[in-house]
Amino acid sequence: MPLLILGIVLTAVCWYFAWSHIGLVSEYSFFPLWVGYILLVNGLSEVMAGTSLLRRMRWSFLWLFVISVPMWWFFEYMNSIVQNWHYVFAHPISILHYDIQASIDFSTVVPAVLSISILVFRLLRKRSLNTRVAIPGTTLSIAFVSTFILFWLLNLFPSETFPLVWIGPVLFLEPLAYALGVRASLVRQIEQGNLALPLSLGIGTLITGFWWECWNFYSLPKWIYTIPYVGFWKVFEMPILGYLGYPFFGLIVFSYAALILSFVAKMDLAKLFSSQS
């Protein structure tokens, strides 16, 4: 309960600052706002599910902030090709200023997604979502090879193929993780009948995406979207069809984190999600 209260207070205060446009207080509100969200959902998970990702990982939870930075810079590189989002600042800033501030803000992505997803998973795990699905090795090989073709198409036809930004990475990461024997590979989990895991990641990331877009709407700095063909019916700044990308992004976050953590920190992310309190 103390964690939940702390998260609610920090989130509420930083939400006010983010939308109030009070100089530097607002300009640097993104990171503490999302730390508040992370604490809030971990506290909520403690109350509703009896455990949380923060409790399970303890100090190792900080790894999630570290690995989040290079992951989102990858998506910034992909956006340099498709030009789907652009940042708006209250005043001009240097490249170094942007790189430092952006990296700090990007560090909250992975812990936010995984913290809410474990709560959703704990709530879903008792339902009948344990059907085993066989995935042939040839399918994984084709998926892995296809990512190079998809990236080539993305460079040639960015306006037509931009959804591949949210599909291609998981087609690369999952076969790689499976081949390297990562137990937390989503493919391995699906083969074992753990369908609740990908479902919880999709739902959890969609919830997180709603708050990303909500808090962004009146903030400054902020981001805006220029999405070809489907840039209509906006919910906040995001076109409504754009929200379909969030569930896929959740799969990418988990696959990436599972792969990296298994090697740099010797952690089994699937065990952190599924083990008993």
Side-chain angles (χ1 to χ4, degrees):
M1 186 62 74
L3 188 63
L4 177 59
I5 295 173
L6 176 60
I8 291 173
V9 171
L10 183 58
T11 301
V13 170
C14 293
W15 185 351
Y16 169 76
F17 286 148
W19 283 8
S20 65
H21 298 177
I22 307 175
L24 293 178
V25 174
S26 298
E27 185 176 345
Y28 295 103
S29 61
F30 186 97
F31 179 78
L33 173 59
W34 278 93
V35 169
Y37 175 85
I38 291 164
L39 295 177
L40 190 159
V41 296
N42 275 278
L44 193 62
S45 185
E46 294 276 356
V47 173
M48 297 182 66
T51 191
S52 67
L53 190 60
L54 180 57
R55 171 188 284 191
R56 291 178 181 279
M57 296 186 72
R58 299 185 181 276
W59 287 106
S60 296
F61 189 80
L62 295 176
W63 270 112
L64 302 183
F65 289 87
V66 174
I67 68 174
S68 184
V69 177
M71 186 206 72
W72 191 257
W73 274 116
F74 164 79
F75 283 102
E76 290 295 314
Y77 168 71
M78 298 299 284
N79 186 54
S80 71
I81 299 172
V82 298
Q83 296 290 306
N84 284 166
W85 64 88
H86 308 271
Y87 296 103
V88 179
F89 299 93
H91 55 79
I93 61 174
S94 69
I95 294 176
L96 179 61
H97 182 169
Y98 170 76
D99 289 345
I100 294 173
Q101 183 176 350
S103 294
I104 293 171
D105 292 343
F106 296 164
S107 71
T108 61
V109 173
V110 171
V113 167
L114 295 184
S115 292
I116 186 65
S117 295
I118 195 173
L119 169 59
V120 177
F121 177 81
R122 300 284 291 190
L123 297 177
L124 288 179
R125 63 184 180 142
K126 294 182 180 180
R127 299 183 179 274
S128 299
L129 297 168
N130 55 357
T131 303
R132 293 175 179 267
V133 178
I135 301 177
T138 52
T139 301
L140 295 178
S141 299
I142 292 171
F144 184 81
V145 172
S146 72
T147 59
F148 298 95
I149 300 172
L150 297 181
F151 185 74
W152 176 68
L153 291 173
L154 195 65
N155 277 274
L156 285 180
F157 310 104
S159 295
E160 290 72 30
T161 61
F162 65 89
L164 297 177
V165 170
W166 310 106
I167 299 172
V170 77
L171 296 180
F172 176 85
L173 290 168
E174 275 303 308
L176 180 61
Y178 190 88
L180 293 175
V182 177
R183 182 179 177 275
S185 158
L186 284 172
V187 170
R188 203 175 302 278
Q189 293 299 309
I190 291 171
E191 286 183 335
Q192 295 171 1
N194 188 4
L195 299 183
L197 180 55
L199 182 60
S200 66
L201 290 165
I203 295 172
T205 310
L206 190 58
I207 293 171
T208 303
F210 171 85
W211 289 112
W212 266 319
E213 304 303 337
C214 173
W215 289 328
N216 170 67
F217 192 56
Y218 288 114
S219 296
L220 197 65
K222 65 181 296 181
W223 58 84
I224 58 175
Y225 295 99
T226 51
I227 302 179
Y229 309 115
V230 294
F232 50 82
W233 295 345
K234 290 188 176 182
V235 179
F236 307 117
E237 292 290 355
M238 172 69 87
I240 192 165
L241 292 180
Y243 285 89
L244 296 177
Y246 276 114
F248 291 98
F249 179 58
L251 303 182
I252 295 169
V253 169
F254 185 90
S255 296
Y256 167 79
L259 180 62
I260 299 300
L261 291 177
S262 67
F263 289 100
V264 302
K266 306 301 180 184
M267 293 181 194
D268 182 349
L269 195 53
K271 185 177 180 180
L272 290 171
F273 266 65
S274 61
S275 60
Q276 298 297 319
S277 303

